[in-house]
Amino acid sequence: MTFDLPYRPRRLRRTENLRAMVQETHLTASQLVYPMFIEEGITDDTPISSMPGIFRHPEATMDKAVKEVYAAGIRSILLFGVSHHKDATGSDSLKHDGLLARMITRAKEACPDMTVISDNCFCEYTSHGHCGVLTPDGHVHNDHTLENLAQQAYVCAKAGADVVAPSAMMDGQIAAIRAKLDAEGYEHTPVMAYASKFASGLYGPFRAAAGCELKGDRKTYQMDPANAREALREAELDEAEGADILMVKPGMFYLDILARLRSQTHLPLAAYQVSGEYSMMCYAFQNGALDEKRVVMESMTSLRRAGADIILTYFAPKVARWLQE
Ligand SMILES: [Zn+2]
C-alpha cells in the first residue's frame, strides 16, 4: 500500500452527517440579544426610516412588542429609551420613575423570563447628545459622569435589569458601577462592558433611531478605529475593574479585535452588529444584490467564529425564527 496522495480533509464534508460532526461553529437563539427602541409620549409604532423593519415602540404598548420578541424565541433584549425629557445632565435617566427605569420594569413585567439589559449612557437623555456631563468648554467631564453612571446603573438594577451595560466609554466606569451596585445590594448583577467601542461611522442610523443627534463627535472618549492594541488594553482595564462580559462594537469591521480579545481573556465576549451593519445589508437585500437569510446567517457565523459568545443584532428575531425552521 502506498500513500502518495496528500491528506485530503475535504472528505470530511462529503455527507451531511459528517459535515455536522466536524462543524466548529454553532449558533443558538440563546446567544442573541435584540436591541429595542422605546419612546415615551407616542401612541403608534414608528418605523425608523434608516433601519428597515425596525420601529420605535410606544412606552404605553411596549409589553406587546416585548412579548412578540419573546414569542419569536428571543430571551434577551437591550433597551434604548427615546426621551422627551432631555436636559444638560440627562437627569431623567437618574430617576427611579424616569423612562429608563420604567421601561425596564415594564419589560420584566411583560416577560419575567426575558433577560433585560440596560444600556447605561447619557447620550439618549442629554440635550447636547454627548455621553455625559459637559465642562464649560464643551468636553465631557469624565469623573463627574462616573458618579452619574454609577447612580444610573443602580437605578436600572433596582428597576429590574438583569445585566447593566455601560456604553459611555468613560475611564473607570466599570469600577464605579461595580462599587455602587455592590454597596446597594446588587452584587450579583453582572456588568457587560462596551469594552472596545470604536468611534465608528456605522452608528449613523442608530442616532436617528434613538433621537440623539450629536453636535461634534465622540472621538475623545471612543476608540480610534486605527488602534487595535489600545482596544485590547481598554478591554484589559475593564476586566481588571470587574467586568463580567466584554463587548466589541461594531462587529464585522472589527473581527480582528474580537479574535485577538478571545485569545486574551477568559471572560464571555459579546459582539454588537450595529445599526449601520444592519442597514447596509438590508439595502442590499431590498435591491436583490444579496440573499437575506444566507448572508445574515453567514454574518452571525463570522461573529461566532471570531470569538463572540453573545451577538447583539437587529436581525435577532429573524435569526431565531430561521433557527427554529
Ligand atoms: Zn452614549
Side-chain angles (χ1 to χ4, degrees):
M1 203 190 287
T2 57
F3 293 93
D4 53 349
L5 289 171
Y7 173 60
R8 288 193 292 191
R10 64 184 169 278
R11 292 201 167 159
L12 285 174
R13 301 196 290 268
R14 208 165 41 175
T15 69
E16 212 172 301
N17 272 344
L18 279 169
R19 275 199 300 279
M21 269 205 297
V22 297
Q23 185 178 329
E24 297 173 27
T25 308
H26 297 269
L27 178 70
T28 62
S30 59
Q31 292 164 317
L32 302 171
V33 179
Y34 185 49
M36 297 180 74
F37 301 97
I38 308 297
E39 181 163 2
E40 59 184 345
I42 60 168
T43 50
D44 298 308
D45 282 345
T46 309
I48 298 162
S49 59
S50 55
M51 299 179 72
I54 304 295
F55 295 83
R56 293 178 178 188
H57 301 288
E59 182 193 2
T61 57
M62 67 172 282
D63 326 43
K64 187 170 145 271
V66 171
K67 283 178 180 162
E68 272 172 21
V69 170
Y70 189 87
I74 296 300
R75 293 294 175 268
S76 199
I77 54 176
L78 174 67
L79 295 176
F80 293 104
V82 183
S83 173
H84 292 196
H85 292 88
K86 298 185 181 193
D87 60 19
T89 57
S91 64
D92 186 64
S93 69
L94 299 172
K95 295 175 183 160
H96 290 292
D97 60 351
L99 173 63
L100 179 57
R102 293 198 307 270
M103 62 185 184
I104 291 166
T105 303
R106 203 145 184 168
K108 287 303 288 185
E109 280 170 5
C111 290
D113 290 345
M114 185 75 94
T115 296
V116 174
I117 306 173
S118 61
D119 177 77
N120 289 106
C121 197
F122 289 94
C123 45
E124 298 146 64
Y125 305 95
T126 52
S127 43
H128 44 71
H130 274 285
C131 298
V133 187
L134 295 185
T135 58
D137 61 351
H139 288 99
V140 173
H141 193 299
N142 191 88
D143 290 6
H144 192 168
T145 302
L146 282 186
E147 283 173 38
N148 290 357
L149 268 172
Q151 176 64 22
Q152 193 199 64
Y154 159 55
V155 166
C156 290
K158 189 159 188 276
D162 298 291
V163 179
V164 299
S167 63
M169 292 300 282
M170 296 299 129
D171 294 332
Q173 63 182 13
I174 305 299
I177 287 172
R178 189 71 271 160
K180 177 71 175 174
L181 290 178
D182 291 355
E184 299 289 350
Y186 294 94
E187 56 279 307
H188 297 301
T189 302
V191 178
M192 177 162 77
Y194 284 66
S196 306
K197 182 178 179 183
F198 288 88
S200 170
L202 292 165
Y203 307 140
F206 173 90
R207 286 184 194 149
C212 49
E213 292 303 329
L214 175 72
K215 303 163 196 82
D217 62 56
R218 296 188 173 86
K219 286 178 183 161
T220 55
Y221 45 100
Q222 293 184 352
M223 305 286 317
D224 183 345
N227 290 4
R229 292 194 308 269
E230 192 188 2
L232 298 174
R233 176 84 183 119
E234 287 276 353
E236 216 168 62
L237 289 171
D238 281 355
E239 181 166 359
E241 287 179 28
D244 301 285
I245 301 168
L246 299 174
M247 190 204 293
V248 175
K249 178 182 181 182
M252 286 149 61
F253 283 15
Y254 296 86
L255 291 179
D256 59 320
I257 309 295
L258 198 53
R260 288 171 71 174
L261 193 52
R262 180 66 291 163
S263 60
Q264 169 181 301
T265 178
H266 293 131
L267 288 181
L269 295 184
Y272 197 143
Q273 186 179 56
V274 302
S275 59
E277 299 176 77
Y278 172 82
S279 295
M280 73 169 115
M281 283 196 272
C282 286
Y283 293 138
F285 305 147
Q286 285 176 358
N287 288 291
L290 296 173
D291 178 83
E292 184 184 32
K293 183 178 171 183
R294 186 168 175 187
V295 171
V296 170
M297 293 309 270
E298 191 174 334
S299 76
M300 296 294 111
T301 301
S302 75
L303 294 164
R304 291 274 298 124
R305 193 187 60 233
D309 302 291
I310 299 163
I311 299 175
L312 299 94
T313 175
Y314 299 97
F315 290 115
K318 268 188 181 169
V319 172
R321 281 196 200 96
W322 289 331
L323 288 170
Q324 283 165 22
E325 281 171 10

